[in-house]
C-alpha cells in the first residue's frame, strides 16, 4: 500500500503542476458535456492522459477507470480510479477548489487515495488502515456534533430537472442545520469533512471517480460513508459524516426522499 500511495501521490502532484501552469481563462475555447454549465477543457483530457501514461509505465497490467477515458482493461486485480479535474467549473473560473483525485483499489477495495488541491498547495492522502493525512497532519473528522449544529456541504447536478429536486431538498435541510456550504468539488468537500472543516456532506449524482480517493480519506479519519437506506455509496447517493451525525442526517434525507428521481 505504501508503494501504491507513493506512486499515486507522485502522479497527482505532476498532473496538478501541469494544470496550474496551463489553466485557461473563460475567454478561451471550451467544450461542453451534458449542458453548458458542465464545462470541460482540453486539459481535462490532457491530465487524464498524463495520469494513465504514468500508471501504465509503472504498472502495465493494472486496470484504470477514468472520467474522460472510461474503463481500460488489465490483467491484474488492481484498478486505479481517476478524476483528472474534480471541480472543472472552479478550475475554469480561477477558483481554488479543484483537485486531481487518484484512488487505488485491490479486489474492489480502496487501499490508497490521493486528492491533490494544487491551487491551495494541499495534498490529502490515505491508505487502508494507515490513517488519513493532510501533509504531515493526521486527520480526524469532527465528532459529537448534533444535526442542528452541523455545517453541511453539498453539491448540485448539471441537469436542470435534478437541480429542481436538489433545491427543494436543501431548502428543507437548511433550517435544520447550522448552515450549508457548496464548494463545487465532491472530492474536496469529503476531504474537508475529514479535516474538520465541515461536519457532513451529501449529494446525489456524483460518480465513483469523484469519491473513490476522498472516501478513503474520510473513512480513515473516522467518518462513515454510505448511501441511503442501507445502500453503499454510489451515484445514486453519497452521504458522509461522523457515525452519530450520519444517522441523524440520513434519517432527515430519507424523510425528504432526497434520492428521488426528478
Amino acid at each position: 500500500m505504501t508503494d501504491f500511495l507513493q506512486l499515486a501521490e507522485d502522479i497527482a502532484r505532476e498532473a496538478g503542476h501541469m494544470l496550474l501552469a496551463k489553466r485557461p481563462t473563460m475567454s478561451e475555447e471550451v467544450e461542453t458535456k451534458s449542458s453548458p454549465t458542465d464545462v470541460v477543457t482540453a486539459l481535462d483530457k490532457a491530465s487524464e492522459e498524463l495520469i494513465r501514461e504514468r500508471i501504465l509505465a509503472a504498472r502495465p497490467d493494472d486496470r484504470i477507470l477514468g472520467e474522460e477515458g472510461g474503463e481500460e482493461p488489465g490483467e491484474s486485480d488492481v484498478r486505479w480510479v481517476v478524476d483528472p479535474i474534480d471541480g472543472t467549473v472552479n478550475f475554469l473560473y480561477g477558483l481554488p477548489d479543484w483537485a486531481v483525485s487518484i484512488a487505488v483499489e485491490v479486489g474492489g477495495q480502496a487501499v490508497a487515495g490521493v486528492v491533490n488541491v494544487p491551487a491551495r498547495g494541499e495534498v490529502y492522502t490515505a491508505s487502508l488502515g494507515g490513517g488519513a493525512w493532510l501533509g504531515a497532519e493526521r486527520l480526524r473528522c469532527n465528532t459529537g456534533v448534533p444535526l442542528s449544529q452541523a455545517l453541511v456541504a453539498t453539491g448540485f447536478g448539471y441537469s436542470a430537472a435534478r437541480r429542481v429536486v436538489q433545491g427543494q431538498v436543501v431548502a428543507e435541510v437548511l433550517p435544520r442545520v447550522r448552515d450549508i456550504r457548496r464548494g463545487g468539488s465532491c472530492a474536496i468537500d469529503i476531504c474537508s469533512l475529514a479535516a474538520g472543516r465541515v461536519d457532513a456532506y451529501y449529494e446525489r449524482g456524483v460518480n465513483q471517480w469523484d469519491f473513490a480517493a476522498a472516501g478513503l480519506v474520510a473513512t480513515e479519519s473516522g467518518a462513515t460513508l454510505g448511501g441511503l437506506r442501507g445502500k453503499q455509496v454510489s451515484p445514486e447517493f453519497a452521504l458522509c459524516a461522523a457515525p452519530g451525525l450520519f444517522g441523524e442526517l440520513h434519517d432527515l434525507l430519507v424523510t425528504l426522499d432526497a434520492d428521488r428521481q426528478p
Side-chain angles (χ1 to χ4, degrees), residues 53-243:
E53 287 173 3
R54 297 295 185 268
I55 292 169
L56 292 176
R59 299 189 55 87
D61 294 330
D62 290 355
R63 295 177 292 139
I64 303 172
L65 172 64
E67 179 182 17
E68 296 300 323
E71 182 99 28
E72 184 164 338
E75 300 299 321
S76 80
D77 65 348
V78 176
R79 184 172 76 160
W80 298 69
V81 183
V82 174
D83 193 339
I85 307 176
D86 185 48
T88 313
V89 174
N90 287 345
F91 175 74
L92 186 64
Y93 275 81
L95 297 170
D97 282 348
W98 55 272
V100 179
S101 174
I102 303 176
V104 186
E105 299 174 345
V106 178
Q109 170 72 60
V111 299
V114 176
V115 176
N116 178 20
V117 189
R120 294 193 181 278
E122 296 182 339
V123 180
Y124 295 87
T125 62
S127 59
L128 185 62
W133 303 82
L134 175 53
E137 177 189 356
R138 181 75 179 261
L139 300 181
R140 300 288 186 188
C141 68
N142 296 334
T143 58
V145 180
L147 182 64
S148 62
Q149 294 298 309
L151 185 61
V152 179
T154 192
F156 305 105
Y158 296 113
S159 158
R162 174 165 289 175
R163 286 179 180 226
V164 169
V165 174
Q166 291 172 320
Q168 292 167 348
V169 171
V170 78
E172 294 293 331
V173 172
L174 180 57
R176 294 170 168 85
V177 299
R178 180 189 295 275
D179 207 346
I180 295 289
R181 291 292 180 269
R182 194 278 199 262
S185 163
C186 167
I188 297 176
D189 282 347
I190 295 176
C191 287
S192 294
L193 185 152
R197 295 174 177 176
V198 297
D199 301 306
Y201 164 81
Y202 77 89
E203 189 169 353
R204 175 171 169 77
V206 291
N207 293 294
Q208 188 169 7
W209 46 77
D210 297 315
F211 58 74
L216 184 61
V217 174
T219 55
E220 286 293 323
S221 79
T224 298
L225 175 68
L228 298 184
R229 305 177 183 86
K231 296 179 181 178
Q232 298 294 314
V233 61
S234 74
E236 289 299 310
F237 211 86
L239 171 61
C240 192

